[in-house]
Amino acid sequence: MNIKKLAAEKAVDWVEEGMMVGLGTGSTAAYAIEKIGERVKQGLHIRAVATSVQSENLARKWSIPIIPFAEVGEIDLTIDGADEVDPDLNLIKGGGGALLREKIVAARSRQVMIITGENKVVQKLGAFPLPVEVVTFAHEWTIEKLASFGCKPVLRQTKEGDIFKTDNGNYTVDCHFDVIEDAARLHHKLNNVPGIVDNGLFIRMASAVVVAYESGVIEVLRAPSRR
Ligand SMILES: O=C[C@H](O)[C@H](O)[C@H](O)COP(=O)(O)O
């Protein structure tokens, strides 16, 4: 059972004619982009904004009209993956290196629909190393500061052994916490550190999470008090 594809294709049911759609990044979001592409080929008219160069290229391949950030007003619906989801629908994102654009797009979206398999739903965030985007200048100091939050920070590298650079020209540090006790507080504290651009905690940003199970069941978890 391809649970990523299952969740992604379900979420695309929420895409309607005329919408401005935010396109997430990663392997799960790629299934959603392809499904949207199929619907565009069948005559659906939408406009979209992409959260990474990778997603933009995929969308263009499917002839999905991509609008530059500067020309995008409010986004009706964003569909994106996640690395972990907790019971309050708080998330860890950024495993694919796109957390900053993803967070900007999510913040501009009326609805943020997260798509995931059951394996990423956890009681507490933190088993997945938290990605933190940092500026290259003095990044060694920023990494030292990150260690003081009680994690093991690892500067992300490419498969070839080079330092990984985001689409924004920054570095990513993966912070191994194991468990994050207070995600909202940590989010706030991290973003107060000079040198940190943003971190992969998405607090109260998801409107709903589509969870697909190996059994083929799909569950939609909603955040009623938000958005
Ligand atoms: O930076 C990448 C994103 O936050 C992804 O949405 C996240 O890492 C999940 O990726 P995947 O669907 O490939 O597991």
Side-chain angles (χ1 to χ4, degrees):
M1 176 72 59
N2 186 341
I3 52 177
K4 291 183 176 187
K5 191 164 187 247
L6 197 62
E9 296 195 343
K10 176 70 185 170
V12 174
D13 288 349
W14 275 271
V15 177
E16 292 173 9
E17 179 73 15
M19 275 187 168
M20 173 68 78
V21 180
L23 304 175
T25 294
S27 53
T28 318
Y31 287 120
I33 295 170
E34 287 171 358
K35 186 70 186 174
I36 292 169
E38 281 174 18
R39 287 187 57 194
V40 165
K41 280 204 176 2
Q42 290 159 4
L44 175 77
H45 297 94
I46 58 149
R47 293 175 306 151
V49 61
T51 53
S52 62
V53 173
Q54 188 189 30
S55 293
E56 178 169 343
N57 290 341
L58 180 61
R60 289 195 191 283
K61 207 173 113 193
W62 282 90
S63 307
I64 300 170
I66 294 291
I67 307 299
F69 282 99
E71 292 166 29
V72 174
E74 199 172 35
I75 299 162
D76 295 301
L77 170 68
T78 287
I79 300 177
D80 202 350
D83 300 301
E84 276 186 353
V85 179
D86 81 4
D88 293 326
L89 308 195
N90 293 325
L91 317 168
I92 285 184
K93 287 183 53 52
L99 73 91
L100 181 58
R101 293 191 189 192
E102 288 177 336
K103 201 177 274 186
I104 292 169
V105 167
R108 288 287 287 271
S109 302
R110 265 200 283 268
Q111 293 277 322
V112 177
M113 180 81 61
I114 297 299
I115 46 181
T116 183
E118 59 174 318
N119 54 316
K120 293 177 174 177
V121 179
V122 298
Q123 276 308 309
K124 277 199 173 168
L125 301 175
F128 190 93
L130 176 68
V132 178
E133 184 154 343
V134 306
V135 294
T136 59
F137 178 77
H139 68 274
E140 297 88 346
W141 288 359
T142 311
I143 291 173
E144 266 179 41
K145 182 69 190 168
L146 277 167
S148 76
F149 286 95
C151 68
K152 179 175 167 259
V154 178
L155 183 61
R156 192 180 294 184
Q157 296 191 339
T158 64
K159 281 193 205 100
E160 295 73 34
D162 302 318
I163 300 180
F164 171 81
K165 274 204 169 185
T166 68
D167 287 347
N168 318 301
N170 297 315
Y171 292 160
T172 299
V173 182
D174 294 304
C175 296
H176 297 247
F177 280 97
D178 292 336
V179 175
I180 296 173
E181 292 297 342
D182 187 341
R185 190 170 147 82
L186 180 65
H187 175 269
H188 184 70
K189 282 165 71 179
L190 287 175
N191 282 10
N192 270 339
V193 175
I196 290 180
V197 183
D198 210 335
N199 71 83
L201 288 167
F202 282 48
I203 308 296
R204 299 177 65 83
M205 294 192 93
S207 316
V209 178
V210 180
V211 185
Y213 291 80
E214 289 292 346
S215 61
V217 167
I218 299 173
E219 188 180 13
V220 182
L221 310 173
R222 292 201 174 267
S225 57
R226 274 164 241 174
R227 295 173 185 274

PDB file of all heavy atoms in Angstrom, residues 8 12 37 48 80 82 96-97 111 115 123 126 140 148 167 173-175 199 204-205 227:
ATOM      1  N   ALA A   8      -2.139  11.812  -0.265  1.00  0.00           N
ATOM      2  CA  ALA A   8      -1.969  12.950  -1.176  1.00  0.00           C
ATOM      3  C   ALA A   8      -3.169  13.078  -2.118  1.00  0.00           C
ATOM      4  O   ALA A   8      -3.727  14.175  -2.292  1.00  0.00           O
ATOM      5  CB  ALA A   8      -0.682  12.769  -1.981  1.00  0.00           C
ATOM      6  N   VAL A  12      -6.218  16.167  -2.563  1.00  0.00           N
ATOM      7  CA  VAL A  12      -6.450  16.918  -3.811  1.00  0.00           C
ATOM      8  C   VAL A  12      -7.951  17.060  -4.096  1.00  0.00           C
ATOM      9  O   VAL A  12      -8.365  17.955  -4.838  1.00  0.00           O
ATOM     10  CB  VAL A  12      -5.653  16.275  -4.982  1.00  0.00           C
ATOM     11  CG1 VAL A  12      -5.982  16.924  -6.317  1.00  0.00           C
ATOM     12  CG2 VAL A  12      -4.152  16.380  -4.707  1.00  0.00           C
ATOM     13  N   GLY A  37      -1.824  17.982 -11.281  1.00  0.00           N
ATOM     14  CA  GLY A  37      -1.449  18.070 -12.704  1.00  0.00           C
ATOM     15  C   GLY A  37      -2.420  17.295 -13.586  1.00  0.00           C
ATOM     16  O   GLY A  37      -2.845  17.784 -14.643  1.00  0.00           O
ATOM     17  N   ALA A  48      -0.883  28.401  -8.868  1.00  0.00           N
ATOM     18  CA  ALA A  48      -0.173  27.784  -7.747  1.00  0.00           C
ATOM     19  C   ALA A  48       1.106  28.530  -7.419  1.00  0.00           C
ATOM     20  O   ALA A  48       1.672  29.240  -8.258  1.00  0.00           O
ATOM     21  CB  ALA A  48       0.144  26.332  -8.085  1.00  0.00           C
ATOM     22  N   ASP A  80       0.712  19.958   1.848  1.00  0.00           N
ATOM     23  CA  ASP A  80       2.135  19.728   2.111  1.00  0.00           C
ATOM     24  C   ASP A  80       2.306  18.485   2.994  1.00  0.00           C
ATOM     25  O   ASP A  80       1.386  18.101   3.718  1.00  0.00           O
ATOM     26  CB  ASP A  80       2.724  20.968   2.809  1.00  0.00           C
ATOM     27  CG  ASP A  80       4.236  21.064   2.642  1.00  0.00           C
ATOM     28  OD1 ASP A  80       4.858  20.101   2.161  1.00  0.00           O
ATOM     29  OD2 ASP A  80       4.792  22.112   3.011  1.00  0.00           O
ATOM     30  N   ALA A  82       4.746  16.247   5.942  1.00  0.00           N
ATOM     31  CA  ALA A  82       5.356  16.555   7.244  1.00  0.00           C
ATOM     32  C   ALA A  82       6.242  15.387   7.641  1.00  0.00           C
ATOM     33  O   ALA A  82       6.100  14.280   7.116  1.00  0.00           O
ATOM     34  CB  ALA A  82       4.280  16.779   8.301  1.00  0.00           C
ATOM     35  N   GLY A  96      13.106  17.690   3.978  1.00  0.00           N
ATOM     36  CA  GLY A  96      13.511  17.867   2.577  1.00  0.00           C
ATOM     37  C   GLY A  96      14.196  19.205   2.331  1.00  0.00           C
ATOM     38  O   GLY A  96      14.472  19.555   1.173  1.00  0.00           O
ATOM     39  N   GLY A  97      14.436  19.963   3.395  1.00  0.00           N
ATOM     40  CA  GLY A  97      15.208  21.204   3.266  1.00  0.00           C
ATOM     41  C   GLY A  97      14.400  22.427   2.858  1.00  0.00           C
ATOM     42  O   GLY A  97      14.981  23.457   2.508  1.00  0.00           O
ATOM     43  N   GLN A 111      -6.149  27.709   4.314  1.00  0.00           N
ATOM     44  CA  GLN A 111      -6.249  26.323   4.752  1.00  0.00           C
ATOM     45  C   GLN A 111      -4.911  25.633   4.510  1.00  0.00           C
ATOM     46  O   GLN A 111      -4.367  25.742   3.402  1.00  0.00           O
ATOM     47  CB  GLN A 111      -7.293  25.573   3.908  1.00  0.00           C
ATOM     48  CG  GLN A 111      -8.719  26.029   4.094  1.00  0.00           C
ATOM     49  CD  GLN A 111      -9.369  25.380   5.304  1.00  0.00           C
ATOM     50  OE1 GLN A 111      -9.139  24.206   5.584  1.00  0.00           O
ATOM     51  NE2 GLN A 111     -10.147  26.145   6.042  1.00  0.00           N
ATOM     52  N   ILE A 115      -0.502  16.104   4.570  1.00  0.00           N
ATOM     53  CA  ILE A 115      -0.737  14.737   4.091  1.00  0.00           C
ATOM     54  C   ILE A 115       0.377  13.833   4.624  1.00  0.00           C
ATOM     55  O   ILE A 115       1.560  14.153   4.532  1.00  0.00           O
ATOM     56  CB  ILE A 115      -0.797  14.713   2.543  1.00  0.00           C
ATOM     57  CG1 ILE A 115       0.349  15.510   1.918  1.00  0.00           C
ATOM     58  CG2 ILE A 115      -2.143  15.245   2.066  1.00  0.00           C
ATOM     59  CD1 ILE A 115       0.344  15.555   0.407  1.00  0.00           C
ATOM     60  N   GLN A 123       2.986  10.740  19.586  1.00  0.00           N
ATOM     61  CA  GLN A 123       2.421  11.377  20.788  1.00  0.00           C
ATOM     62  C   GLN A 123       3.162  12.669  21.104  1.00  0.00           C
ATOM     63  O   GLN A 123       2.564  13.666  21.486  1.00  0.00           O
ATOM     64  CB  GLN A 123       2.484  10.415  21.981  1.00  0.00           C
ATOM     65  CG  GLN A 123       1.323   9.437  22.040  1.00  0.00           C
ATOM     66  CD  GLN A 123      -0.046  10.106  21.948  1.00  0.00           C
ATOM     67  OE1 GLN A 123      -0.334  11.049  22.694  1.00  0.00           O
ATOM     68  NE2 GLN A 123      -0.886   9.658  21.024  1.00  0.00           N
ATOM     69  N   GLY A 126       9.817  15.015  18.141  1.00  0.00           N
ATOM     70  CA  GLY A 126      11.233  15.044  18.505  1.00  0.00           C
ATOM     71  C   GLY A 126      12.045  13.826  18.132  1.00  0.00           C
ATOM     72  O   GLY A 126      13.271  13.907  18.096  1.00  0.00           O
ATOM     73  N   GLU A 140      29.108  28.201  12.850  1.00  0.00           N
ATOM     74  CA  GLU A 140      29.708  27.375  13.918  1.00  0.00           C
ATOM     75  C   GLU A 140      29.193  27.844  15.287  1.00  0.00           C
ATOM     76  O   GLU A 140      28.922  27.028  16.161  1.00  0.00           O
ATOM     77  CB  GLU A 140      31.242  27.468  13.893  1.00  0.00           C
ATOM     78  CG  GLU A 140      31.896  26.931  12.623  1.00  0.00           C
ATOM     79  CD  GLU A 140      32.033  27.989  11.519  1.00  0.00           C
ATOM     80  OE1 GLU A 140      31.404  29.059  11.621  1.00  0.00           O
ATOM     81  OE2 GLU A 140      32.770  27.713  10.550  1.00  0.00           O
ATOM     82  N   SER A 148      23.174  24.094  23.175  1.00  0.00           N
ATOM     83  CA  SER A 148      22.792  24.514  24.531  1.00  0.00           C
ATOM     84  C   SER A 148      21.291  24.314  24.794  1.00  0.00           C
ATOM     85  O   SER A 148      20.837  24.438  25.920  1.00  0.00           O
ATOM     86  CB  SER A 148      23.194  25.974  24.775  1.00  0.00           C
ATOM     87  OG  SER A 148      22.295  26.837  24.110  1.00  0.00           O
ATOM     88  N   ASP A 167      17.257  26.321  -0.799  1.00  0.00           N
ATOM     89  CA  ASP A 167      16.954  27.180  -1.959  1.00  0.00           C
ATOM     90  C   ASP A 167      17.233  28.650  -1.648  1.00  0.00           C
ATOM     91  O   ASP A 167      17.342  29.475  -2.542  1.00  0.00           O
ATOM     92  CB  ASP A 167      15.468  27.043  -2.346  1.00  0.00           C
ATOM     93  CG  ASP A 167      15.171  25.710  -3.023  1.00  0.00           C
ATOM     94  OD1 ASP A 167      16.122  25.005  -3.413  1.00  0.00           O
ATOM     95  OD2 ASP A 167      13.976  25.371  -3.160  1.00  0.00           O
ATOM     96  N   VAL A 173      20.675  22.714   9.988  1.00  0.00           N
ATOM     97  CA  VAL A 173      21.231  21.921  11.095  1.00  0.00           C
ATOM     98  C   VAL A 173      20.110  21.017  11.605  1.00  0.00           C
ATOM     99  O   VAL A 173      19.007  21.488  11.916  1.00  0.00           O
ATOM    100  CB  VAL A 173      21.729  22.830  12.239  1.00  0.00           C
ATOM    101  CG1 VAL A 173      22.351  21.992  13.350  1.00  0.00           C
ATOM    102  CG2 VAL A 173      22.737  23.854  11.714  1.00  0.00           C
ATOM    103  N   ASP A 174      20.381  19.705  11.650  1.00  0.00           N
ATOM    104  CA  ASP A 174      19.386  18.754  12.150  1.00  0.00           C
ATOM    105  C   ASP A 174      19.653  18.517  13.628  1.00  0.00           C
ATOM    106  O   ASP A 174      20.725  18.025  14.002  1.00  0.00           O
ATOM    107  CB  ASP A 174      19.462  17.449  11.344  1.00  0.00           C
ATOM    108  CG  ASP A 174      19.049  17.665   9.900  1.00  0.00           C
ATOM    109  OD1 ASP A 174      17.921  18.153   9.680  1.00  0.00           O
ATOM    110  OD2 ASP A 174      19.849  17.387   8.982  1.00  0.00           O
ATOM    111  N   CYS A 175      18.672  18.883  14.464  1.00  0.00           N
ATOM    112  CA  CYS A 175      18.865  18.852  15.914  1.00  0.00           C
ATOM    113  C   CYS A 175      18.193  17.615  16.502  1.00  0.00           C
ATOM    114  O   CYS A 175      16.962  17.496  16.486  1.00  0.00           O
ATOM    115  CB  CYS A 175      18.283  20.114  16.535  1.00  0.00           C
ATOM    116  SG  CYS A 175      19.162  21.571  15.963  1.00  0.00           S
ATOM    117  N   ASN A 199      12.864  27.540  12.152  1.00  0.00           N
ATOM    118  CA  ASN A 199      13.027  26.125  12.485  1.00  0.00           C
ATOM    119  C   ASN A 199      11.813  25.340  12.002  1.00  0.00           C
ATOM    120  O   ASN A 199      10.786  25.913  11.641  1.00  0.00           O
ATOM    121  CB  ASN A 199      13.257  25.964  13.988  1.00  0.00           C
ATOM    122  CG  ASN A 199      12.013  26.256  14.796  1.00  0.00           C
ATOM    123  OD1 ASN A 199      11.164  25.395  14.946  1.00  0.00           O
ATOM    124  ND2 ASN A 199      11.876  27.492  15.291  1.00  0.00           N
ATOM    125  N   ARG A 204       0.424  25.172  15.473  1.00  0.00           N
ATOM    126  CA  ARG A 204      -0.933  25.647  15.177  1.00  0.00           C
ATOM    127  C   ARG A 204      -1.048  26.201  13.753  1.00  0.00           C
ATOM    128  O   ARG A 204      -1.735  27.193  13.529  1.00  0.00           O
ATOM    129  CB  ARG A 204      -1.367  26.705  16.210  1.00  0.00           C
ATOM    130  CG  ARG A 204      -1.409  26.163  17.636  1.00  0.00           C
ATOM    131  CD  ARG A 204      -1.763  27.240  18.640  1.00  0.00           C
ATOM    132  NE  ARG A 204      -3.125  27.742  18.422  1.00  0.00           N
ATOM    133  CZ  ARG A 204      -4.219  27.169  18.884  1.00  0.00           C
ATOM    134  NH1 ARG A 204      -4.144  26.065  19.591  1.00  0.00           N
ATOM    135  NH2 ARG A 204      -5.400  27.701  18.653  1.00  0.00           N
ATOM    136  N   MET A 205      -0.386  25.586  12.828  1.00  0.00           N
ATOM    137  CA  MET A 205      -0.473  26.057  11.438  1.00  0.00           C
ATOM    138  C   MET A 205      -1.332  25.140  10.573  1.00  0.00           C
ATOM    139  O   MET A 205      -1.891  25.580   9.574  1.00  0.00           O
ATOM    140  CB  MET A 205       0.924  26.179  10.820  1.00  0.00           C
ATOM    141  CG  MET A 205       1.758  27.256  11.473  1.00  0.00           C
ATOM    142  SD  MET A 205       3.246  27.649  10.549  1.00  0.00           S
ATOM    143  CE  MET A 205       2.662  29.005   9.538  1.00  0.00           C
ATOM    144  N   ARG A 227      -8.058  28.583  12.062  1.00  0.00           N
ATOM    145  CA  ARG A 227      -8.321  28.843  10.642  1.00  0.00           C
ATOM    146  C   ARG A 227      -9.745  28.527  10.241  1.00  0.00           C
ATOM    147  O   ARG A 227     -10.163  27.416  10.159  1.00  0.00           O
ATOM    148  CB  ARG A 227      -7.377  28.038   9.765  1.00  0.00           C
ATOM    149  CG  ARG A 227      -5.971  28.497   9.974  1.00  0.00           C
ATOM    150  CD  ARG A 227      -4.978  27.613   9.255  1.00  0.00           C
ATOM    151  NE  ARG A 227      -3.637  28.037   9.590  1.00  0.00           N
ATOM    152  CZ  ARG A 227      -2.999  28.999   8.943  1.00  0.00           C
ATOM    153  NH1 ARG A 227      -3.528  29.599   7.948  1.00  0.00           N
ATOM    154  NH2 ARG A 227      -1.795  29.332   9.322  1.00  0.00           N
TER     155      ARG A 227
END
